[in-house]
Amino acid sequence: SLRSLFSGERARLARKHKIIYLPIRMVAVRNKEMKEHIVKYDELRAIGKNLNSKLFKELNGSEIKIAARALGVLKNNALLLDSDEDMDRYTDFAINDYYDVNGNNTIKRYLKKHNDINGLEKSILNSLLLSKASSYQIVKSDRESATIQLRDLLNQSEDINIIDRGFSSSPMIVNFLVYTRVLSFDEINMTSGAPMIYGMDSKESLLSKYKKKMDKVNIGNEQTKLSVAFYQLHEKYGYHQVEYA
């Protein structure tokens, strides 16, 4: 139970603002291959953050509003995003799951416009094109390798190990649910960032309600509708902020 992690005022604020506090335990990475993988992860994460900013600039004002309206975060032509985490989740949706009138998302448009891209930026963009977001259960974490093991709750597939410095540092993260996009590279797997986190006690509600939510979405493809559904369910069942203690 998360209740055991909280006490007094901190517990009250956590429940009110849907914050999850994860106790962390740091360990030294001794394995040479693991160290190389973590260095690669850090490099990809840094380049990816800069690339996200470039991708978001490809969207025009109308498209930004259409994506926001789909998620239910547009009011009086203004985005209603209360935190950096909310902005990250919206941005991830807008650049990956919003499709224009020609059936292209921002990734495809950016690659067509900038056909001279190479190196890690090209690798990230190609991985984004191949990726599909889904709902996963975290079934294992390993601090030394900075990895967590994910089990896909929506598709029949083998469990997948990904590098995640934050989640892997806390043993309490096991059994939490996360809606995220997994990117695969030659040596490692990682997320695109901006995960939506839910407690294990919401699993039944999520799995019983997401399809009905999808049926009400009138834009995009199945991936668009899936992401909208889990975003809306996150508003009710998810944790909106992660704090490491």
Side-chain angles (χ1 to χ4, degrees), residues 41-101:
Y41 165 86
D42 288 340
E43 186 178 10
L44 286 166
R45 182 64 74 202
I47 293 173
K49 286 182 178 179
N50 184 53
L51 184 58
N52 272 357
S53 297
K54 295 178 183 178
L55 290 167
F56 191 71
K57 291 177 182 177
E58 293 292 314
L59 295 166
N60 61 43
S62 177
E63 291 172 327
I64 288 172
K65 290 177 182 178
I66 292 171
R69 188 178 294 112
L71 294 180
V73 296
L74 185 73
K75 185 175 182 179
N76 297 326
N77 283 326
L79 297 182
L80 299 177
L81 300 168
D82 296 329
S83 66
D84 290 341
E85 289 85 357
D86 285 341
M87 185 63 194
D88 288 343
R89 287 185 279 266
Y90 163 73
T91 301
D92 187 79
F93 171 80
I95 65 178
N96 289 285
D97 294 325
Y98 166 76
Y99 287 79
D100 63 20
V101 293

Short mmCIF file of all heavy atoms in Angstrom, two decimals, residues 41-101:
data_model
loop_
_atom_site.label_atom_id
_atom_site.label_comp_id
_atom_site.label_asym_id
_atom_site.label_seq_id
_atom_site.Cartn_x
_atom_site.Cartn_y
_atom_site.Cartn_z
N TYR A 41 22.01 5.48 -22.97
CA TYR A 41 20.68 5.94 -22.57
C TYR A 41 20.70 7.44 -22.27
O TYR A 41 19.83 8.19 -22.75
CB TYR A 41 20.22 5.16 -21.34
CG TYR A 41 19.04 5.77 -20.61
CD1 TYR A 41 17.73 5.49 -21.01
CD2 TYR A 41 19.23 6.61 -19.51
CE1 TYR A 41 16.65 6.04 -20.34
CE2 TYR A 41 18.15 7.16 -18.84
CZ TYR A 41 16.88 6.87 -19.25
OH TYR A 41 15.81 7.42 -18.58
N ASP A 42 21.67 7.88 -21.48
CA ASP A 42 21.76 9.30 -21.13
C ASP A 42 21.94 10.17 -22.37
O ASP A 42 21.36 11.27 -22.47
CB ASP A 42 22.92 9.54 -20.16
CG ASP A 42 22.63 9.01 -18.76
OD1 ASP A 42 21.45 8.81 -18.43
OD2 ASP A 42 23.59 8.79 -18.00
N GLU A 43 22.73 9.69 -23.32
CA GLU A 43 22.96 10.44 -24.56
C GLU A 43 21.68 10.53 -25.38
O GLU A 43 21.31 11.60 -25.88
CB GLU A 43 24.07 9.77 -25.37
CG GLU A 43 24.50 10.56 -26.59
CD GLU A 43 25.64 9.91 -27.35
OE1 GLU A 43 25.97 8.75 -27.04
OE2 GLU A 43 26.19 10.55 -28.26
N LEU A 44 20.98 9.41 -25.52
CA LEU A 44 19.73 9.40 -26.27
C LEU A 44 18.67 10.27 -25.60
O LEU A 44 17.93 10.99 -26.27
CB LEU A 44 19.21 7.97 -26.38
CG LEU A 44 19.95 7.05 -27.35
CD1 LEU A 44 19.56 5.60 -27.11
CD2 LEU A 44 19.65 7.44 -28.80
N ARG A 45 18.60 10.23 -24.27
CA ARG A 45 17.62 11.03 -23.55
C ARG A 45 17.88 12.52 -23.76
O ARG A 45 16.95 13.30 -23.98
CB ARG A 45 17.66 10.67 -22.06
CG ARG A 45 16.65 11.39 -21.20
CD ARG A 45 15.22 11.03 -21.58
NE ARG A 45 14.82 9.71 -21.14
CZ ARG A 45 13.83 9.02 -21.71
NH1 ARG A 45 13.15 9.53 -22.73
NH2 ARG A 45 13.50 7.82 -21.26
N ALA A 46 19.14 12.93 -23.70
CA ALA A 46 19.49 14.35 -23.88
C ALA A 46 19.16 14.83 -25.29
O ALA A 46 18.57 15.90 -25.48
CB ALA A 46 20.97 14.57 -23.58
N ILE A 47 19.51 14.02 -26.29
CA ILE A 47 19.22 14.39 -27.67
C ILE A 47 17.71 14.38 -27.91
O ILE A 47 17.16 15.24 -28.61
CB ILE A 47 19.93 13.42 -28.64
CG1 ILE A 47 21.44 13.62 -28.55
CG2 ILE A 47 19.45 13.64 -30.07
CD1 ILE A 47 22.24 12.61 -29.33
N GLY A 48 17.03 13.42 -27.30
CA GLY A 48 15.58 13.32 -27.47
C GLY A 48 14.83 14.52 -26.93
O GLY A 48 13.85 14.97 -27.53
N LYS A 49 15.28 15.05 -25.81
CA LYS A 49 14.63 16.24 -25.24
C LYS A 49 14.75 17.43 -26.19
O LYS A 49 13.79 18.17 -26.41
CB LYS A 49 15.24 16.58 -23.88
CG LYS A 49 14.84 15.63 -22.78
CD LYS A 49 15.46 16.06 -21.45
CE LYS A 49 15.02 15.12 -20.32
NZ LYS A 49 15.64 15.51 -19.02
N ASN A 50 15.92 17.62 -26.75
CA ASN A 50 16.12 18.71 -27.70
C ASN A 50 15.32 18.48 -28.97
O ASN A 50 14.72 19.41 -29.53
CB ASN A 50 17.61 18.82 -28.03
CG ASN A 50 17.92 19.99 -28.94
OD1 ASN A 50 17.55 21.13 -28.66
ND2 ASN A 50 18.61 19.73 -30.03
N LEU A 51 15.24 17.24 -29.40
CA LEU A 51 14.49 16.90 -30.61
C LEU A 51 13.00 17.13 -30.42
O LEU A 51 12.30 17.59 -31.34
CB LEU A 51 14.76 15.44 -30.98
CG LEU A 51 14.15 14.91 -32.28
CD1 LEU A 51 14.61 15.73 -33.47
CD2 LEU A 51 14.53 13.43 -32.47
N ASN A 52 12.48 16.84 -29.23
CA ASN A 52 11.06 17.07 -28.95
C ASN A 52 10.68 18.53 -29.16
O ASN A 52 9.60 18.85 -29.66
CB ASN A 52 10.73 16.65 -27.53
CG ASN A 52 10.35 15.19 -27.43
OD1 ASN A 52 10.27 14.49 -28.43
ND2 ASN A 52 10.11 14.72 -26.22
N SER A 53 11.57 19.43 -28.75
CA SER A 53 11.32 20.86 -28.92
C SER A 53 11.22 21.21 -30.41
O SER A 53 10.36 21.98 -30.83
CB SER A 53 12.42 21.69 -28.26
OG SER A 53 12.46 21.47 -26.87
N LYS A 54 12.10 20.63 -31.21
CA LYS A 54 12.07 20.88 -32.65
C LYS A 54 10.79 20.32 -33.27
O LYS A 54 10.17 20.96 -34.13
CB LYS A 54 13.28 20.21 -33.32
CG LYS A 54 14.63 20.78 -32.91
CD LYS A 54 15.76 20.01 -33.61
CE LYS A 54 17.12 20.49 -33.18
NZ LYS A 54 18.21 19.70 -33.82
N LEU A 55 10.40 19.14 -32.83
CA LEU A 55 9.20 18.50 -33.39
C LEU A 55 7.94 19.29 -33.06
O LEU A 55 7.06 19.46 -33.91
CB LEU A 55 9.08 17.07 -32.85
CG LEU A 55 10.12 16.07 -33.36
CD1 LEU A 55 10.09 14.79 -32.53
CD2 LEU A 55 9.88 15.75 -34.84
N PHE A 56 7.87 19.78 -31.83
CA PHE A 56 6.67 20.52 -31.43
C PHE A 56 6.50 21.79 -32.25
O PHE A 56 5.36 22.21 -32.52
CB PHE A 56 6.74 20.86 -29.94
CG PHE A 56 5.45 21.37 -29.38
CD1 PHE A 56 4.36 20.53 -29.21
CD2 PHE A 56 5.29 22.70 -29.04
CE1 PHE A 56 3.16 20.99 -28.70
CE2 PHE A 56 4.10 23.19 -28.53
CZ PHE A 56 3.03 22.33 -28.36
N LYS A 57 7.61 22.38 -32.68
CA LYS A 57 7.54 23.60 -33.49
C LYS A 57 7.00 23.34 -34.88
O LYS A 57 6.63 24.29 -35.60
CB LYS A 57 8.93 24.24 -33.57
CG LYS A 57 9.42 24.83 -32.25
CD LYS A 57 10.84 25.37 -32.37
CE LYS A 57 11.32 25.92 -31.03
NZ LYS A 57 12.72 26.40 -31.10
N GLU A 58 6.93 22.08 -35.29
CA GLU A 58 6.36 21.74 -36.59
C GLU A 58 4.84 21.88 -36.61
O GLU A 58 4.22 21.97 -37.67
CB GLU A 58 6.73 20.30 -36.97
CG GLU A 58 8.21 20.08 -37.24
CD GLU A 58 8.68 20.77 -38.51
OE1 GLU A 58 7.97 20.66 -39.54
OE2 GLU A 58 9.72 21.43 -38.48
N LEU A 59 4.23 21.86 -35.43
CA LEU A 59 2.77 21.99 -35.34
C LEU A 59 2.35 23.45 -35.43
O LEU A 59 2.97 24.32 -34.82
CB LEU A 59 2.27 21.42 -34.00
CG LEU A 59 2.47 19.90 -33.79
CD1 LEU A 59 2.27 19.56 -32.33
CD2 LEU A 59 1.52 19.12 -34.67
N ASN A 60 1.30 23.73 -36.20
CA ASN A 60 0.80 25.09 -36.25
C ASN A 60 -0.23 25.31 -35.13
O ASN A 60 -0.60 24.36 -34.42
CB ASN A 60 0.20 25.42 -37.62
CG ASN A 60 -0.97 24.52 -37.99
OD1 ASN A 60 -1.84 24.25 -37.15
ND2 ASN A 60 -1.03 24.09 -39.25
N GLY A 61 -0.66 26.53 -34.97
CA GLY A 61 -1.57 26.87 -33.87
C GLY A 61 -2.86 26.08 -33.89
O GLY A 61 -3.36 25.65 -32.84
N SER A 62 -3.41 25.87 -35.07
CA SER A 62 -4.65 25.11 -35.19
C SER A 62 -4.45 23.67 -34.75
O SER A 62 -5.30 23.10 -34.04
CB SER A 62 -5.15 25.16 -36.64
OG SER A 62 -6.31 24.37 -36.79
N GLU A 63 -3.34 23.07 -35.16
CA GLU A 63 -3.07 21.68 -34.80
C GLU A 63 -2.84 21.52 -33.30
O GLU A 63 -3.26 20.52 -32.69
CB GLU A 63 -1.86 21.17 -35.58
CG GLU A 63 -2.14 21.03 -37.08
CD GLU A 63 -0.90 20.73 -37.88
OE1 GLU A 63 0.19 21.21 -37.49
OE2 GLU A 63 -1.02 20.02 -38.89
N ILE A 64 -2.17 22.48 -32.71
CA ILE A 64 -1.95 22.45 -31.26
C ILE A 64 -3.28 22.44 -30.52
O ILE A 64 -3.47 21.70 -29.55
CB ILE A 64 -1.09 23.67 -30.83
CG1 ILE A 64 0.36 23.48 -31.30
CG2 ILE A 64 -1.14 23.87 -29.32
CD1 ILE A 64 1.24 24.69 -31.10
N LYS A 65 -4.23 23.22 -31.02
CA LYS A 65 -5.55 23.28 -30.37
C LYS A 65 -6.36 22.01 -30.62
O LYS A 65 -7.07 21.54 -29.72
CB LYS A 65 -6.31 24.51 -30.89
CG LYS A 65 -5.73 25.83 -30.41
CD LYS A 65 -6.48 27.01 -31.00
CE LYS A 65 -5.88 28.33 -30.55
NZ LYS A 65 -6.58 29.51 -31.16
N ILE A 66 -6.25 21.45 -31.82
CA ILE A 66 -6.98 20.21 -32.12
C ILE A 66 -6.50 19.08 -31.20
O ILE A 66 -7.30 18.33 -30.63
CB ILE A 66 -6.80 19.81 -33.60
CG1 ILE A 66 -7.51 20.82 -34.51
CG2 ILE A 66 -7.35 18.40 -33.85
CD1 ILE A 66 -7.21 20.63 -35.98
N ALA A 67 -5.19 18.97 -31.04
CA ALA A 67 -4.63 17.94 -30.17
C ALA A 67 -5.05 18.16 -28.73
O ALA A 67 -5.40 17.22 -28.01
CB ALA A 67 -3.10 17.93 -30.29
N ALA A 68 -5.04 19.42 -28.30
CA ALA A 68 -5.43 19.74 -26.92
C ALA A 68 -6.92 19.46 -26.70
O ALA A 68 -7.31 18.95 -25.65
CB ALA A 68 -5.11 21.20 -26.62
N ARG A 69 -7.73 19.78 -27.70
CA ARG A 69 -9.17 19.54 -27.57
C ARG A 69 -9.47 18.04 -27.46
O ARG A 69 -10.34 17.63 -26.69
CB ARG A 69 -9.90 20.14 -28.77
CG ARG A 69 -11.43 20.10 -28.65
CD ARG A 69 -12.11 20.75 -29.83
NE ARG A 69 -11.83 22.18 -29.90
CZ ARG A 69 -11.10 22.75 -30.86
NH1 ARG A 69 -10.58 22.01 -31.83
NH2 ARG A 69 -10.88 24.05 -30.85
N ALA A 70 -8.72 17.24 -28.20
CA ALA A 70 -8.91 15.79 -28.14
C ALA A 70 -8.65 15.25 -26.74
O ALA A 70 -9.34 14.34 -26.27
CB ALA A 70 -7.99 15.10 -29.15
N LEU A 71 -7.67 15.82 -26.06
CA LEU A 71 -7.34 15.37 -24.70
C LEU A 71 -8.21 16.02 -23.64
O LEU A 71 -8.19 15.61 -22.48
CB LEU A 71 -5.86 15.69 -24.39
CG LEU A 71 -4.81 14.93 -25.21
CD1 LEU A 71 -3.41 15.36 -24.78
CD2 LEU A 71 -4.98 13.43 -25.07
N GLY A 72 -8.97 17.05 -24.04
CA GLY A 72 -9.82 17.74 -23.08
C GLY A 72 -9.09 18.79 -22.27
O GLY A 72 -9.50 19.11 -21.14
N VAL A 73 -7.99 19.33 -22.82
CA VAL A 73 -7.20 20.33 -22.07
C VAL A 73 -7.22 21.69 -22.76
O VAL A 73 -6.30 22.49 -22.59
CB VAL A 73 -5.74 19.85 -21.87
CG1 VAL A 73 -5.72 18.60 -21.00
CG2 VAL A 73 -5.04 19.59 -23.21
N LEU A 74 -8.28 21.95 -23.54
CA LEU A 74 -8.42 23.25 -24.20
C LEU A 74 -9.69 23.92 -23.69
O LEU A 74 -10.77 23.33 -23.73
CB LEU A 74 -8.49 23.09 -25.72
CG LEU A 74 -8.53 24.39 -26.52
CD1 LEU A 74 -7.15 25.06 -26.51
CD2 LEU A 74 -8.97 24.12 -27.96
N LYS A 75 -9.56 25.13 -23.22
CA LYS A 75 -10.72 25.90 -22.77
C LYS A 75 -10.53 27.36 -23.15
O LYS A 75 -9.50 27.95 -22.85
CB LYS A 75 -10.91 25.78 -21.25
CG LYS A 75 -12.18 26.45 -20.75
CD LYS A 75 -12.40 26.20 -19.27
CE LYS A 75 -13.70 26.84 -18.79
NZ LYS A 75 -13.94 26.59 -17.35
N ASN A 76 -11.53 27.92 -23.84
CA ASN A 76 -11.44 29.31 -24.31
C ASN A 76 -10.16 29.55 -25.11
O ASN A 76 -9.46 30.56 -24.94
CB ASN A 76 -11.51 30.28 -23.13
CG ASN A 76 -12.83 30.19 -22.40
OD1 ASN A 76 -13.88 29.95 -23.00
ND2 ASN A 76 -12.80 30.38 -21.08
N ASN A 77 -9.82 28.56 -25.96
CA ASN A 77 -8.65 28.64 -26.84
C ASN A 77 -7.33 28.69 -26.08
O ASN A 77 -6.31 29.13 -26.63
CB ASN A 77 -8.74 29.85 -27.78
CG ASN A 77 -9.70 29.60 -28.92
OD1 ASN A 77 -9.81 28.47 -29.41
ND2 ASN A 77 -10.41 30.63 -29.35
N ALA A 78 -7.31 28.25 -24.84
CA ALA A 78 -6.08 28.22 -24.05
C ALA A 78 -5.85 26.81 -23.52
O ALA A 78 -6.80 26.09 -23.18
CB ALA A 78 -6.17 29.21 -22.88
N LEU A 79 -4.57 26.42 -23.44
CA LEU A 79 -4.23 25.10 -22.91
C LEU A 79 -4.33 25.11 -21.39
O LEU A 79 -3.80 26.01 -20.72
CB LEU A 79 -2.80 24.72 -23.31
CG LEU A 79 -2.51 24.57 -24.81
CD1 LEU A 79 -1.06 24.14 -25.02
CD2 LEU A 79 -3.44 23.56 -25.44
N LEU A 80 -5.00 24.11 -20.85
CA LEU A 80 -5.14 23.97 -19.41
C LEU A 80 -4.19 22.88 -18.93
O LEU A 80 -4.55 21.71 -18.81
CB LEU A 80 -6.58 23.62 -19.04
CG LEU A 80 -7.65 24.63 -19.43
CD1 LEU A 80 -9.03 24.11 -19.06
CD2 LEU A 80 -7.39 25.97 -18.76
N LEU A 81 -2.96 23.25 -18.68
CA LEU A 81 -1.93 22.32 -18.23
C LEU A 81 -1.30 22.87 -16.96
O LEU A 81 -0.72 23.95 -16.96
CB LEU A 81 -0.87 22.13 -19.32
CG LEU A 81 -1.41 21.57 -20.65
CD1 LEU A 81 -0.38 21.70 -21.75
CD2 LEU A 81 -1.84 20.12 -20.49
N ASP A 82 -1.43 22.12 -15.87
CA ASP A 82 -1.09 22.64 -14.56
C ASP A 82 0.36 22.45 -14.15
O ASP A 82 0.81 23.05 -13.19
CB ASP A 82 -1.97 21.98 -13.48
CG ASP A 82 -3.44 22.32 -13.66
OD1 ASP A 82 -3.73 23.43 -14.16
OD2 ASP A 82 -4.30 21.48 -13.33
N SER A 83 1.10 21.62 -14.88
CA SER A 83 2.47 21.32 -14.44
C SER A 83 3.34 20.99 -15.64
O SER A 83 2.86 20.78 -16.76
CB SER A 83 2.47 20.14 -13.47
OG SER A 83 2.05 18.95 -14.14
N ASP A 84 4.65 20.92 -15.41
CA ASP A 84 5.57 20.51 -16.47
C ASP A 84 5.28 19.09 -16.91
O ASP A 84 5.41 18.76 -18.10
CB ASP A 84 7.02 20.61 -15.96
CG ASP A 84 7.48 22.04 -15.77
OD1 ASP A 84 6.84 22.95 -16.34
OD2 ASP A 84 8.46 22.25 -15.04
N GLU A 85 4.87 18.24 -15.95
CA GLU A 85 4.55 16.85 -16.29
C GLU A 85 3.35 16.79 -17.24
O GLU A 85 3.34 16.02 -18.20
CB GLU A 85 4.25 16.04 -15.03
CG GLU A 85 5.46 15.74 -14.17
CD GLU A 85 5.79 16.87 -13.19
OE1 GLU A 85 5.10 17.91 -13.23
OE2 GLU A 85 6.73 16.70 -12.40
N ASP A 86 2.33 17.62 -16.98
CA ASP A 86 1.17 17.68 -17.86
C ASP A 86 1.56 18.15 -19.26
O ASP A 86 1.08 17.63 -20.27
CB ASP A 86 0.10 18.62 -17.29
CG ASP A 86 -0.65 18.01 -16.13
OD1 ASP A 86 -0.63 16.77 -15.99
OD2 ASP A 86 -1.27 18.77 -15.36
N MET A 87 2.45 19.14 -19.31
CA MET A 87 2.91 19.65 -20.60
C MET A 87 3.69 18.58 -21.36
O MET A 87 3.53 18.44 -22.58
CB MET A 87 3.80 20.89 -20.39
CG MET A 87 4.23 21.55 -21.69
SD MET A 87 2.82 22.20 -22.64
CE MET A 87 3.56 22.51 -24.24
N ASP A 88 4.51 17.82 -20.66
CA ASP A 88 5.27 16.74 -21.30
C ASP A 88 4.34 15.68 -21.88
O ASP A 88 4.57 15.18 -22.99
CB ASP A 88 6.22 16.08 -20.29
CG ASP A 88 7.39 16.97 -19.92
OD1 ASP A 88 7.65 17.94 -20.65
OD2 ASP A 88 8.03 16.70 -18.88
N ARG A 89 3.29 15.34 -21.13
CA ARG A 89 2.35 14.32 -21.61
C ARG A 89 1.58 14.83 -22.84
O ARG A 89 1.34 14.08 -23.80
CB ARG A 89 1.40 13.90 -20.49
CG ARG A 89 2.06 13.03 -19.43
CD ARG A 89 1.07 12.53 -18.41
NE ARG A 89 0.76 13.52 -17.39
CZ ARG A 89 1.38 13.60 -16.21
NH1 ARG A 89 2.35 12.76 -15.92
NH2 ARG A 89 1.04 14.52 -15.32
N TYR A 90 1.18 16.09 -22.79
CA TYR A 90 0.48 16.67 -23.95
C TYR A 90 1.41 16.71 -25.16
O TYR A 90 0.99 16.36 -26.28
CB TYR A 90 -0.01 18.08 -23.61
CG TYR A 90 -0.35 18.87 -24.85
CD1 TYR A 90 -1.50 18.59 -25.57
CD2 TYR A 90 0.50 19.87 -25.32
CE1 TYR A 90 -1.81 19.27 -26.74
CE2 TYR A 90 0.20 20.57 -26.47
CZ TYR A 90 -0.95 20.27 -27.18
OH TYR A 90 -1.24 20.95 -28.34
N THR A 91 2.65 17.14 -24.97
CA THR A 91 3.61 17.24 -26.08
C THR A 91 3.86 15.88 -26.71
O THR A 91 3.91 15.75 -27.94
CB THR A 91 4.94 17.84 -25.59
OG1 THR A 91 4.71 19.15 -25.04
CG2 THR A 91 5.94 17.96 -26.73
N ASP A 92 4.02 14.85 -25.88
CA ASP A 92 4.25 13.51 -26.39
C ASP A 92 3.09 13.06 -27.27
O ASP A 92 3.28 12.47 -28.33
CB ASP A 92 4.45 12.53 -25.21
CG ASP A 92 4.87 11.15 -25.68
OD1 ASP A 92 6.06 10.97 -26.00
OD2 ASP A 92 4.00 10.25 -25.75
N PHE A 93 1.87 13.37 -26.83
CA PHE A 93 0.69 13.02 -27.63
C PHE A 93 0.67 13.81 -28.93
O PHE A 93 0.43 13.25 -30.01
CB PHE A 93 -0.58 13.31 -26.83
CG PHE A 93 -1.85 13.18 -27.64
CD1 PHE A 93 -2.40 11.93 -27.88
CD2 PHE A 93 -2.47 14.30 -28.17
CE1 PHE A 93 -3.56 11.81 -28.65
CE2 PHE A 93 -3.63 14.19 -28.93
CZ PHE A 93 -4.17 12.94 -29.17
N ALA A 94 0.92 15.10 -28.86
CA ALA A 94 0.80 15.97 -30.03
C ALA A 94 1.79 15.59 -31.14
O ALA A 94 1.45 15.62 -32.32
CB ALA A 94 1.00 17.43 -29.63
N ILE A 95 3.01 15.22 -30.76
CA ILE A 95 4.00 14.94 -31.80
C ILE A 95 3.96 13.48 -32.29
O ILE A 95 4.41 13.20 -33.40
CB ILE A 95 5.44 15.30 -31.34
CG1 ILE A 95 5.88 14.41 -30.18
CG2 ILE A 95 5.54 16.76 -30.99
CD1 ILE A 95 7.30 14.69 -29.72
N ASN A 96 3.38 12.60 -31.50
CA ASN A 96 3.35 11.19 -31.89
C ASN A 96 1.98 10.69 -32.34
O ASN A 96 1.88 9.89 -33.28
CB ASN A 96 3.83 10.31 -30.74
CG ASN A 96 5.31 10.43 -30.46
OD1 ASN A 96 6.14 9.91 -31.21
ND2 ASN A 96 5.65 11.12 -29.38
N ASP A 97 0.93 11.14 -31.68
CA ASP A 97 -0.39 10.54 -31.88
C ASP A 97 -1.38 11.44 -32.61
O ASP A 97 -2.48 10.98 -32.95
CB ASP A 97 -0.99 10.13 -30.54
CG ASP A 97 -0.20 9.01 -29.89
OD1 ASP A 97 0.30 8.14 -30.63
OD2 ASP A 97 -0.05 9.01 -28.66
N TYR A 98 -1.04 12.70 -32.84
CA TYR A 98 -1.91 13.57 -33.65
C TYR A 98 -1.52 13.39 -35.12
O TYR A 98 -0.34 13.47 -35.48
CB TYR A 98 -1.77 15.04 -33.25
CG TYR A 98 -2.38 15.95 -34.29
CD1 TYR A 98 -3.77 16.10 -34.37
CD2 TYR A 98 -1.59 16.62 -35.22
CE1 TYR A 98 -4.34 16.90 -35.35
CE2 TYR A 98 -2.16 17.42 -36.20
CZ TYR A 98 -3.53 17.56 -36.26
OH TYR A 98 -4.11 18.33 -37.24
N TYR A 99 -2.51 13.16 -35.97
CA TYR A 99 -2.28 12.99 -37.42
C TYR A 99 -3.00 14.08 -38.19
O TYR A 99 -4.16 14.40 -37.89
CB TYR A 99 -2.76 11.61 -37.88
CG TYR A 99 -1.86 10.49 -37.41
CD1 TYR A 99 -1.95 10.01 -36.11
CD2 TYR A 99 -0.91 9.93 -38.25
CE1 TYR A 99 -1.12 8.99 -35.66
CE2 TYR A 99 -0.07 8.91 -37.82
CZ TYR A 99 -0.18 8.45 -36.52
OH TYR A 99 0.65 7.46 -36.09
N ASP A 100 -2.31 14.67 -39.17
CA ASP A 100 -2.90 15.76 -39.94
C ASP A 100 -3.86 15.21 -41.00
O ASP A 100 -4.12 14.00 -41.07
CB ASP A 100 -1.80 16.63 -40.58
CG ASP A 100 -0.94 15.87 -41.58
OD1 ASP A 100 -1.37 14.81 -42.08
OD2 ASP A 100 0.17 16.35 -41.88
N VAL A 101 -4.38 16.10 -41.83
CA VAL A 101 -5.39 15.71 -42.82
C VAL A 101 -4.83 14.76 -43.88
O VAL A 101 -5.57 14.06 -44.57
CB VAL A 101 -5.99 16.96 -43.52
CG1 VAL A 101 -6.79 17.78 -42.53
CG2 VAL A 101 -4.88 17.79 -44.16
#
